[in-house]
Amino acid sequence: MKIEVTMPKMSPEMRSGVLCAWLKGEGDRVRKGEALFEVETEKVVCQVEAERDGVLVRLLAEEGDDMPVGAVLAEMEAQP
Amino acid sequence: MSARPEWLKVRFNREAVDEVADLMAKFGLNTVCREANCPNRGECCARRTATFLILGGNCTRNCRFCNIACGAPEPVDPEEPERVARAAAELKLRHVVVTSVTRDDLPDGGAAHFARAICAIRERLPGATVEVLIPDFKGDRASLDAVMAARPDVLNHNVETVASLYAAVRPQARYARSLEVLRYCKAAAPDGLTKTGFMVGLGETEAQIAALLDDVRATGCDLLTIGQYLPPTPQHAPLARYVSPEEFERYRRMALERDFRYVASAPLARSSYRAQEAVEAARARP
Ligand code: SF4
């Protein structure tokens, strides 16, 4: 099943976030709870964890992109 | 300001954060975790802990370091203490931390509301310990008496910063008054624990930190937290510098030399961070 990886809303005021690094690449297998990408917030860098086991199929945002909350950053093929 | 150092990195577990947020929404409650945009939210929510923020989401003070909205105070909700207790029970908390916005508009500053929250939690969760992180109540003794009469396990009141930075950082507060709050509460319940915390990176010197540690310890204070100040927005008090983990370790040793029962000193240590561990460690100490 394909699922979308999106920019989380990490604070009540957050409108967008800068994706500062991908910690996994296309084709990588990821496990739920593993750090998937980093977002720069006002106070700290957040390592956002994968919410499902699966394979990262396609990255749709590049490092350095300022992405709105909810924007699709990648597609993942989730393991059933 | 220089680029963000490597050690200011946290994990963010969206599922856990959403779960706690949904639970709080269900009970109509605020958390300081969310309102203050605490960087530890991912971790604390993953451990299913949070710190309740009572008496509304708007604060009557305008501290220059704090992210909580300053605005018109909301009516006090008499049902709120009970909802806090129910949410704490649903989270199966063994240590419940309750804080509030500062309510200078209320005659008792909200002290009775704090006391009701403590009692409601005790009723529903008799095995849990309760920590209240209180405002200074303008130093009003009747308000402090009201809170202490409910016998919190930990009375927490943050001094926040060294004396010389109060005017710039906490203009509506007084350093001596905050010390007096800690002293008075310890004297009121010598067997209870008192706790305080402060931020570094606002421009304080090590000598000023040493003086603060002496002043706070002289009140009988048992537990201490020291963390990095992180400006919530560019409109807040400016960051003077990032303090390294090695310096935090030095501050921790300075505090332990003064015989605090427990000291958390780390870049992301916060007043309520792993508060249960703090109270357990303090109580385990002979
Ligand atoms: S450190 Fe305190 S305020 Fe921050 S998320 Fe944890 S419980 Fe909430």
Side-chain angles (χ1 to χ4, degrees), chain B residues 32-33 38 40-41 44 49-51 270 272-273:
Chain B
V32 70
C33 321
C38 180
N40 296 323
R41 216 145 65 98
C44 291
T49 56
T51 294
R270 294 293 178 265
S272 51
Y273 180 63

Side-chain angles (χ1 to χ4, degrees), chain A residues 57-73:
Chain A
V57 181
R58 212 149 62 94
L59 303 186
L60 299 165
E62 286 178 33
E63 294 181 353
D65 286 355
D66 190 355
M67 303 295 287
V69 166
V72 180
L73 307 179

Side-chain angles (χ1 to χ4, degrees), chain B residues 131 133 156-160 195-200 212-213 216 221-228 248 255 260 262-266 268-275 278:
Chain B
E131 172 170 339
L133 170 57
N156 189 345
H157 174 67
N158 285 333
V159 291
E160 307 286 11
K195 176 174 176 179
T196 195
F198 66 96
M199 303 168 285
V200 291
L212 180 153
L213 294 174
V216 164
C221 185
D222 306 285
L223 294 89
L224 176 70
T225 61
I226 312 173
Q228 170 74 51
F248 274 103
F260 283 91
Y262 175 86
V263 181
S265 176
L268 292 171
R270 294 293 178 265
S271 189
S272 51
Y273 180 63
R274 299 194 176 190

